[in-house]
Amino acid sequence: MSLIRIEGGKPLKGRVDLKGAKNLVTKAMVAALLGETPSTLLDVPHISDVDVVERLLNLHGVTITHDPKTGDMTLDPSNVEQARIVDIDAHAGSSRIPILFCGPLLHRLGEAFIPGLGGCEIGDRPVDFHFDVLRQFGAVIEKLPTGTRLSAPDGLVAAKINLPYPSVGATEQVLLSATTAKGLTELRGAAIEPEIIDLIAILQKMGAIISVDTDRVIRIEGVKQLKGYTHKALFDRNEAASWAAAALATKGDIFVGGAKQIEMMTFLNTYRKVGGEFEIEPAGIRFYHPGSELQPVVIETDVHPGFMTDWQQPLVVALTQAQGLSIVHETVYENRFGFTEALVKMGAQIQIYRECLGGNPCRFGQRNFNHSAVISGPTPLRGADIRVPDLRGGFSHVVAALAAEGTSNVSNVQLISRGYERFIDKLQDLGADFQIEG
């Protein structure tokens, strides 16, 4: 699947059901490397990022069975071994997950090799945080032409770590490395996203001793060994917000099965301010356009509990139909507004600025990055030929095509399968009018 032809102007109506969060399940799969016995992870989505991690784990001797229908996955790390560099390197560019293999592999094998890293081109997500953390744990790092080799001749030892920014990836690196390191690790400036807390719950089930304070301090007491776990993954709140935005942009009505209120509270507040309606039920959340005019809002993305950066892209499409000027200040990824070029091509009025159009602390204010957007609406969207640039931006392009009048040809759509299970099937279930062209 590389291109779909969409006939827009038809509201999306129906139900979609969520499985586990992409940003949790792939890390939980890596955590299974730490166990001495098999692990069982429930609600694993059938997405390409999961496939990449599964192949990488297979290369390292982990036996995996995965039922795509139920989402049940078992991971047996009994025969963990070092993979051939050429085999690992074959996955370079497919995912950024390999960097998180370092801690578990150093614990199990005493060494690890990490190829070049890929992922969506939405900003400079440096691996320096990761390597700095691993050095503090005692890892020796050697840069090679094909990647990076790490070793731990004396094993990993506890450290006091202070992150300059609450990076989700660096926090995950600390958690996966510190659970079996010798001594007490103290992490300050930690990320506390729900997916991080769910990973901590998994590690605790495995035998880890981890405490989380209210001031972004996490303490991990190292243990000698861990066992396997059985865990149902947290629902994917990014996918939930994406379908909610799709309902608003297309004047539709979508019930998102598996979505829960607590993890979505910040999004729900903004959704209501824009003019969207929702009903919270035990089985999920219904999101719908009430038929009245949408209202402009000011959004500043931030780390949890702020407004997630992954939420803003789909919602921007709906904001093109709001009455007046909306402002979005992106403080997490510096290059996340590239997707708006396609929206402008379709008729949206969006102006991008280098200045910080908001009051939240921002890492990009004194740097030459276009990280603020002003959206003027309402503007009718027209069908166009567009190309998917990244995961969330790609979903946003599809939503724009569905909301637009006329025909749109959306190419490179296979990228959306990185984070959205059964994406095409769900579009069909919601009544979208489209054809797969290639």
Side-chain angles (χ1 to χ4, degrees):
M1 182 183 66
S2 60
L3 184 145
I4 57 175
R5 177 169 288 117
I6 296 174
E7 297 295 332
K10 185 177 180 181
L12 296 183
K13 295 184 177 180
R15 172 173 179 150
V16 295
D17 289 290
L18 307 177
K19 282 207 178 90
K22 175 183 84 75
N23 291 341
L24 179 276
V25 295
T26 48
K27 322 304 169 55
M29 292 169 66
V30 175
L33 275 171
L34 292 164
E36 301 289 337
T37 56
S39 293
T40 300
L41 184 60
L42 309 178
D43 264 1
V44 177
H46 190 201
I47 56 178
S48 57
D49 270 18
V50 167
D51 293 339
V52 169
V53 179
E54 185 172 341
R55 290 195 295 269
L56 286 168
L57 287 169
N58 287 153
L59 289 175
H60 287 91
V62 180
T63 302
I64 299 175
T65 59
H66 180 200
D67 185 334
K69 290 185 178 180
T70 65
D72 295 351
M73 174 181 284
T74 60
L75 307 98
D76 186 350
S78 302
N79 298 307
V80 172
E81 60 185 9
Q82 187 59 262
R84 295 194 310 157
I85 290 179
V86 65
D87 292 333
I88 303 175
D89 196 46
H91 295 279
S94 299
S95 171
R96 299 182 68 85
I97 282 291
I99 191 70
L100 293 177
F101 277 62
C102 295
L105 288 177
L106 288 171
H107 167 65
R108 293 295 300 269
L109 303 175
E111 64 177 357
F113 176 81
I114 306 301
L117 301 177
C120 291
E121 297 299 327
I122 55 177
D124 180 25
R125 295 183 281 183
V127 296
D128 292 348
F129 278 2
H130 293 271
F131 290 147
D132 288 345
V133 163
L134 290 162
R135 284 190 184 95
Q136 292 181 67
F137 281 115
V140 177
I141 299 174
E142 178 185 4
K143 296 292 181 69
L144 302 174
T146 53
T148 304
R149 182 181 180 274
L150 301 94
S151 60
D154 302 318
L156 298 181
V157 295
K160 292 187 181 296
I161 299 168
N162 192 353
L163 295 181
Y165 181 80
S167 161
V168 170
T171 299
E172 292 164 340
Q173 186 71 260
V174 172
L175 291 170
L176 292 169
S177 302
T179 49
T180 52
K182 301 171 185 175
L184 174 64
T185 294
E186 181 180 272
L187 173 62
R188 293 187 174 274
I192 54 172
E193 272 68 7
E195 293 81 9
I196 292 286
I197 302 303
D198 212 31
L199 178 59
I200 290 173
I202 288 172
L203 293 170
Q204 187 180 59
K205 287 181 177 181
M206 299 178 75
I209 303 172
I210 305 174
S211 63
V212 183
D213 294 342
T214 56
D215 56 351
R216 294 187 179 274
V217 177
I218 298 177
R219 293 180 175 85
I220 308 106
E221 298 181 34
V223 297
K224 290 185 177 181
Q225 63 181 26
L226 298 172
K227 60 183 179 180
Y229 63 82
T230 298
H231 189 80
K232 181 178 180 180
L234 173 76
F235 78 96
D236 197 315
R237 58 201 179 108
N238 289 336
E239 183 176 358
S242 295
W243 291 116
L248 202 56
T250 65
K251 298 183 179 179
D253 188 332
I254 301 176
F255 184 85
V256 182
K260 298 185 183 301
Q261 178 184 12
I262 299 298
E263 292 83 0
M264 298 289 293
M265 275 189 162
T266 301
F267 177 84
L268 295 174
N269 285 335
T270 300
Y271 197 76
R272 179 165 282 161
K273 289 178 183 179
V274 175
E277 292 288 348
F278 57 87
E279 295 176 1
I280 297 167
E281 301 179 15
I285 303 177
R286 175 194 173 199
F287 296 95
Y288 62 98
H289 191 300
S292 54
E293 291 182 350
L294 300 183
Q295 302 302 311
V297 293
V298 176
I299 297 172
E300 295 188 84
T301 64
D302 204 353
V303 295
H304 186 78
F307 193 91
M308 283 192 67
T309 178
D310 287 328
W311 293 342
Q312 62 96 342
Q313 288 172 291
L315 195 59
V316 163
V317 181
L319 293 179
T320 67
Q321 305 308 304
Q323 299 283 336
L325 295 177
S326 293
I327 298 174
V328 180
H329 179 210
E330 173 62 51
T331 73
V332 179
Y333 291 129
E334 64 271 26
N335 291 326
R336 195 133 216 187
F337 283 122
F339 80 102
T340 61
E341 293 179 7
L343 301 185
V344 171
K345 182 179 180 181
M346 300 175 76
Q349 293 185 18
I350 303 174
Q351 185 67 46
I352 308 300
Y353 296 90
R354 290 192 296 270
E355 293 77 15
C356 294
L357 301 183
N360 278 2
C362 179
R363 295 178 293 161
F364 316 130
Q366 304 302 317
R367 301 162 69 188
N368 193 27
F369 293 120
N370 292 319
H371 68 289
S372 293
V374 176
I375 304 104
S376 177
T379 54
L381 299 179
R382 304 178 301 272
D385 293 344
I386 51 181
R387 180 177 175 81
V388 166
D390 58 73
L391 176 59
R392 307 300 171 190
F395 188 98
S396 304
H397 286 175
V398 170
V399 172
L402 292 165
E405 291 295 329
T407 304
S408 295
N409 294 308
V410 186
S411 60
N412 203 33
V413 288
Q414 72 277 1
L415 190 58
I416 299 174
S417 68
R418 283 193 53 226
Y420 294 90
E421 183 187 48
R422 298 181 55 250
F423 178 66
I424 293 298
D425 292 340
K426 289 175 180 177
L427 287 179
Q428 291 176 332
D429 293 343
L430 295 172
D433 186 355
F434 68 93
Q435 291 181 330
I436 299 174
E437 297 295 327

